[in-house]
Amino acid sequence: CFVWPDAGADKRYSKQFKGTQTMTCAKERDFQTGWMNTKYLIGADSHQDCEHVIIVDDLSSRGGTFIGAAKKLRELLPNLKTITLCVAHCENTIADGEILKTDWIDKVYTTDSILNTELVRHEKLYVTCYNRLTAAEQLPEEVLSRANDYEENVKEYYLTENGELLF
């Protein structure tokens, strides 16, 4: 199942993923704290059997929106085993948020477009060269075509110093 963390991501990506199982998070601002919270998940009722989900968006800073989505997903989907985040661009501040410090999100796929991989490294952070891949190619084809069979089909990608991908 693919998850859009907000209405903006739903507008940007849903046309590219026609025919796949999708859900969209609806957010609400907490005016006391100023934080955005995931209030509910559109489509969760019809996807109770999802074991693996992929949250797709264009940019991650500290990752609060994605943590909120992950918490709501784990609350509402009883069979959920893994949550993968796929973002085209990731700021160095991802290291300051909860994504890399907690178990809410299992893996993060991104590019080195703005992320300094000398400063930010983590075992669940997979970085590809921005100039080599488009956002839609960040995840292995097996993950895009068969999201529910994620663990059986995903290939681990690693970069060599000259930017070549190994798997």
Side-chain angles (χ1 to χ4, degrees), residues 67-121:
I67 292 296
K71 287 178 179 179
K72 189 58 74 174
L73 285 161
R74 292 199 187 273
E75 172 190 330
L76 296 177
L77 302 178
N79 297 318
L80 188 59
K81 294 179 182 174
T82 62
I83 298 175
T84 298
L85 173 62
C86 180
V87 290
H89 313 285
C90 187
E91 296 178 359
N92 294 337
T93 54
I94 191 170
D96 300 330
E98 292 183 52
I99 290 179
L100 302 179
K101 297 176 182 175
T102 66
D103 292 330
W104 290 109
I105 294 175
D106 300 291
K107 293 183 181 184
V108 179
Y109 287 87
T110 190
T111 68
D112 62 355
S113 61
I114 57 178
L115 182 70
N116 183 337
T117 56
E118 296 298 317
L119 296 175
V120 182
R121 293 174 184 248

Side-chain angles (χ1 to χ4, degrees), residues 101-157:
K101 297 176 182 175
T102 66
D103 292 330
W104 290 109
I105 294 175
D106 300 291
K107 293 183 181 184
V108 179
Y109 287 87
T110 190
T111 68
D112 62 355
S113 61
I114 57 178
L115 182 70
N116 183 337
T117 56
E118 296 298 317
L119 296 175
V120 182
R121 293 174 184 248
H122 195 276
E123 61 189 19
K124 67 179 177 180
L125 183 62
Y126 299 86
V127 183
T128 59
C129 290
Y130 179 73
N131 62 352
R132 296 184 61 116
L133 299 175
T134 64
E137 295 172 316
Q138 288 179 58
L139 290 178
E141 180 61 31
E142 292 88 348
V143 175
L144 292 172
S145 64
R146 298 180 61 198
N148 283 331
D149 293 329
Y150 176 84
E151 290 301 322
E152 294 176 10
N153 294 296
V154 70
K155 294 179 181 177
E156 305 298 332
Y157 286 85

